[in-house]
Amino acid sequence: LVMSDRIFVMKNGKIIQTGTPKEIYFEPKTVFVAEFLGVSNTFPVKLIGRTNNGDRIYQEKKEGFKFVIGSKVKADSDSGFIVIRPEYVNIRKTRTQPENSIKAQIKSIFFTGPYIEIKALAGSYELSAYVFRGGREYDLRENDMVYFEWDKNDVIFIKEE
């Protein structure tokens, strides 16, 4: 992404998306593109309702996780995929918000210097999060139960393929 001003993503010999690195990363048109360009927490979802202020409520199809999607997110379909990039996940030892919070068990912690990469299991999903600032304020260990939380506008919605 660093060396490009325009990217062409191909699958099976066909161009499936073109754009700037920023457009491709933050507005992937398919799950393939989202996962090709970086680590993603990806969930198949269906629309189940709306909040009083018009935010959309989606439910994950296998585990039943619920997601509230803000009005800033382009979501123009009743079913598709929600993608949450690891840099937008906050790790909490206790739940701090009623929505967009998934309980998970830490499976691995990798210290990289500028950030810590955390992998955890939530049902059948392996989730990823990046804790920046070196993670000094976090006292986390493998097998700890934590909450993966994110803002309702920090997600990507991809229509069903």
Side-chain angles (χ1 to χ4, degrees), residues 13-25:
K14 295 183 181 178
I15 296 172
I16 56 174
Q17 188 171 349
T18 65
T20 66
K22 185 177 178 181
E23 289 167 346
I24 299 288
Y25 187 78

Side-chain angles (χ1 to χ4, degrees), residues 47 61-62 74 146 154:
L47 183 69
K61 295 178 179 179
K62 192 172 13 174
K74 296 177 191 173
V146 295
D154 285 340

Side-chain angles (χ1 to χ4, degrees), residues 1-160:
L1 294 177
V2 173
M3 297 175 53
S4 304
D5 60 355
R6 191 134 186 91
I7 294 175
F8 292 78
V9 180
M10 297 178 72
K11 182 178 180 186
N12 299 324
K14 295 183 181 178
I15 296 172
I16 56 174
Q17 188 171 349
T18 65
T20 66
K22 185 177 178 181
E23 289 167 346
I24 299 288
Y25 187 78
F26 289 111
E27 299 174 28
K29 303 287 186 226
T30 67
V31 171
F32 175 82
V33 172
E35 293 177 347
F36 181 77
L37 289 181
V39 176
S40 301
N41 298 298
T42 305
F43 305 90
V45 295
K46 63 181 177 184
L47 183 69
I48 60 169
R50 291 189 178 267
T51 65
N52 290 338
N53 66 355
D55 291 337
R56 290 146 298 186
I57 304 169
Y58 285 89
Q59 185 170 22
E60 186 277 334
K61 295 178 179 179
K62 192 172 13 174
E63 303 290 342
F65 303 134
K66 289 189 179 154
F67 302 88
V68 175
I69 305 304
S71 59
K72 293 181 183 178
V73 177
K74 296 177 191 173
D76 52 1
S77 178
D78 288 351
S79 64
F81 298 88
I82 287 178
V83 176
I84 305 163
R85 297 282 190 198
E87 61 268 27
Y88 289 106
V89 174
N90 296 304
I91 299 293
R92 309 284 188 221
K93 286 201 168 200
T94 58
R95 178 176 253 156
T96 64
Q97 57 192 49
E99 57 204 26
N100 298 339
S101 180
I102 296 176
K103 189 174 186 177
Q105 183 175 26
I106 295 177
K107 289 298 167 195
S108 63
I109 301 172
F110 298 103
F111 180 77
T112 68
Y115 66 91
I116 295 172
E117 180 179 1
I118 296 173
K119 297 216 179 264
L121 287 179
S124 60
Y125 288 93
E126 181 179 87
L127 305 179
S128 295
Y130 299 153
V131 177
F132 291 91
R133 298 175 309 280
R136 288 183 181 165
E137 66 274 15
Y138 289 91
D139 179 28
L140 300 172
R141 292 181 176 76
E142 289 182 8
N143 296 316
D144 281 357
M145 296 303 293
V146 295
Y147 291 89
F148 275 54
E149 298 184 343
W150 60 92
D151 182 86
K152 65 183 179 180
N153 289 304
D154 285 340
V155 302
I156 299 164
F157 184 85
I158 299 173
K159 284 184 187 182
E160 192 118 36

